Amino acid sequence: MVERVRDTVVVGSGPAGYTAALYASRARLDTLVFQGFESGGQMMLASEVENYPGFGSGVMGPDLMDEFEEQAARFGAEMRPENVERVDLRERPFRLWSEGEEEPVLARSVVVATGAKPKRLGVDGELRFFGKGVSGCATCDAFFFRGKKVAVVGGGDTAMEEALHLARYASEVLIVHRGEALRASRIMLERAKENPRIGFVAGAVEEIVGDGSVKGVWLRTPGGPERFLRVDGLFVAVGQRPASDLFRGQVEIDEDGYVVLKRQTMTSVPGVFAAGEVADKSYRQVATAVGSGCMAAIDAQRWLEADIRSL
């Protein structure tokens, strides 16, 4: 019996993964998507998305992902709601094992679209209020906090950027940091300090409280008692972690955990491509993830065509 070898296997089902699947399947490539147990990625936790083109009145994150999945499936992409447990990209066809399966899926090309996960604070109330006042993206959610008081947790450039963006909408933005020297660059720190809507609070978040939505946070202050800080929203800006562990030792990954792209969207392994936040340090937007998913699928299609011609 001849084993089936897929033209393209997409690992991940966020905006980048579904877009790659759409373009690959529409190009008549035999396409399989390993969606993972958390199908849809971080967008499944997003509230109303207002900065994705084509939805003038906004769209809920889960609804948008349902549309993405349906469109990719309409052109023939097969969806499997499983996590990939291990991969072997050392020789072709590439091999991918889903959890609990002994036999691998074989692929001529692979698109890595496993995304990234925001680093969490790990405090009570954080998960309960995610999307209900707790956010990891000011660009995505600042608009919903017009005229409100919010806090940003973090001390690096990302926290300063989040605070500066929030200050365009919120009445007051408090940057909560642990009290030691801030890690932010001098220019970003100066910009934050010069903004009249931005203040600084030394302390570590111990608990997030509310009733249906965030109402405030308890802080542990350096050398002092706990303090309650009344805010309407909390933005966690302590960094993010690319979901690249599955591919360590298989493709080149940089010191921050991002998959390294060598030519367009191709990784260090010919025939293996990456799209979305697993390879994106800078933008982390739905629109950019969609664009990179499109690019990865086109790159995979062209690489496969060139590979066939070389035989």
Side-chain angles (χ1 to χ4, degrees):
M1 180 178 177
V2 178
E3 292 183 276
R4 181 178 183 180
V5 182
R6 304 280 186 159
D7 292 324
T8 301
V9 170
V10 179
V11 185
S13 59
Y18 280 142
T19 303
L22 166 62
Y23 272 78
S25 57
R26 194 168 179 271
R28 299 295 187 266
L29 299 181
D30 182 4
T31 305
L32 169 66
V33 181
F34 279 112
Q35 297 169 286
F37 298 144
E38 297 179 355
S39 176
Q42 293 185 66
M43 287 300 295
M44 300 303 287
L45 300 174
S47 53
E48 191 173 6
V49 179
E50 293 189 320
N51 58 353
Y52 187 71
F55 294 88
S57 300
V59 59
M60 298 299 290
D63 293 340
L64 184 60
M65 289 300 93
D66 286 346
E67 293 281 353
F68 277 28
E69 178 183 0
E70 181 180 341
Q71 189 173 7
R74 182 163 69 90
F75 287 99
E78 180 184 344
M79 306 294 170
R80 286 178 58 172
E82 304 162 18
N83 283 336
V84 175
E85 187 174 53
R86 62 189 177 98
V87 300
D88 186 350
L89 308 178
R90 294 172 296 182
E91 59 183 13
R92 296 166 52 201
F94 304 121
R95 296 183 291 172
L96 305 93
W97 287 264
S98 61
E99 290 188 16
E101 293 293 328
E102 294 185 3
E103 295 299 320
V105 168
L106 305 181
R108 294 187 176 91
S109 66
V110 172
V111 175
V112 179
T114 45
K117 295 182 180 296
K119 293 179 180 177
R120 304 295 187 192
L121 298 175
V123 301
D124 289 344
E126 184 176 17
L127 293 180
R128 185 166 72 255
F129 291 109
F130 196 89
K132 300 175 182 178
V134 174
S135 173
C137 178
T139 306
C140 308
D141 296 329
F143 184 78
F144 301 107
F145 293 88
R146 289 174 298 176
K148 296 184 178 182
K149 182 178 179 179
V150 299
V152 176
V153 183
D157 279 357
T158 298
M160 303 305 128
E161 291 170 359
E162 296 280 276
L164 287 164
H165 187 79
L166 284 163
R168 301 175 185 174
Y169 302 87
S171 61
E172 184 178 2
V173 181
L174 297 175
I175 297 175
V176 178
H177 59 98
R178 292 185 175 274
E180 63 267 16
L182 294 168
R183 303 185 313 277
S185 62
R186 181 176 178 180
I187 188 170
M188 292 302 298
L189 190 57
E190 288 177 351
R191 287 176 182 173
K193 287 182 175 180
E194 290 170 359
N195 193 302
R197 292 189 180 184
I198 296 176
F200 293 80
V201 176
V205 175
E206 292 282 285
E207 183 182 5
I208 303 167
V209 298
D211 180 15
S213 62
V214 171
K215 300 300 180 185
V217 297
W218 282 101
L219 302 179
R220 185 181 70 253
T221 57
E226 281 193 329
R227 171 188 175 186
F228 184 72
L229 186 66
R230 187 173 297 280
V231 292
D232 301 300
L234 182 73
F235 287 77
V236 180
V238 293
Q240 68 171 11
R241 183 178 62 83
S244 60
D245 289 349
L246 177 66
F247 300 94
R248 287 192 178 276
Q250 301 284 333
V251 300
E252 184 178 344
I253 293 174
D254 71 16
E255 60 184 7
D256 296 317
Y258 290 89
V259 174
V260 175
L261 303 181
K262 294 296 187 178
R263 182 164 56 87
Q264 282 87 45
T265 63
M266 189 181 289
T267 70
S268 58
V269 177
V272 178
F273 306 84
E277 293 188 7
V278 74
D280 175 14
K281 291 185 176 183
S282 302
Y283 302 104
R284 298 182 294 148
Q285 300 298 306
V286 182
T288 52
V290 165
S292 66
C294 164
M295 293 161 61
I298 293 174
D299 287 345
Q301 177 191 355
R302 291 174 177 172
W303 183 84
L304 288 169
E305 290 172 349
D307 188 55
I308 291 173
R309 288 197 298 269
S310 68
L311 296 178

